[in-house]
Amino acid sequence: MLHLPEFVASLPAESPLREKYGEPAEFRMQWLLPVCVGVLGAVTLVSGSLAAGIVLVLGSVGLGFWLSRRASASMDARAVWSRSLYCRRCPARFLPEEALAGRS
């Protein structure tokens, strides 16, 4: 059994296993788009177009929530990957607590 990040680092660059077992992609939360849409919605509200302003403000809140959930899911996937083990005999990947549970 090997620690998955160490196993992936030991593979040659052209190995197809690098794609299969490689580190999940990082997603960084970008606040610029939701903030700009929110500001545009606020300006639209102030200028008198109530319906469009409300739609833009609610859209910016929804977009910000969706982007934050996506960033959180990416961080969770990367944390699980960094703790994972790899069995060269099976081949399977699993968390350390799953390996200990299977031994009894």
Side-chain angles (χ1 to χ4, degrees):
M1 291 209 289
L2 302 167
H3 188 229
L4 186 60
E6 293 170 4
F7 170 68
V8 171
S10 71
L11 293 171
E14 63 276 353
S15 174
L17 292 178
R18 271 193 179 269
E19 285 184 34
K20 184 176 182 180
Y21 295 112
E23 186 173 12
E26 183 177 8
F27 182 83
R28 290 201 172 129
M29 178 63 188
Q30 300 292 329
W31 288 103
L32 185 61
L33 182 61
V35 168
C36 288
V37 172
V39 168
L40 181 64
V43 168
T44 306
L45 275 172
V46 171
S47 68
S49 181
L50 188 63
I54 290 174
V55 167
L56 286 171
V57 168
L58 291 177
S60 71
V61 170
L63 184 62
F65 179 75
W66 177 70
L67 289 174
S68 69
R69 296 289 295 165
R70 191 167 167 199
S72 176
S74 173
M75 288 186 335
D76 292 346
R78 291 168 60 88
V80 167
W81 178 84
S82 69
R83 293 181 41 234
S84 293
L85 299 173
Y86 177 75
C87 177
R88 295 181 96 173
R89 190 178 302 168
C90 336
R93 59 185 261 196
F94 46 87
L95 294 173
E97 53 270 12
E98 293 170 353
L100 295 176
R103 291 188 118 177
S104 48

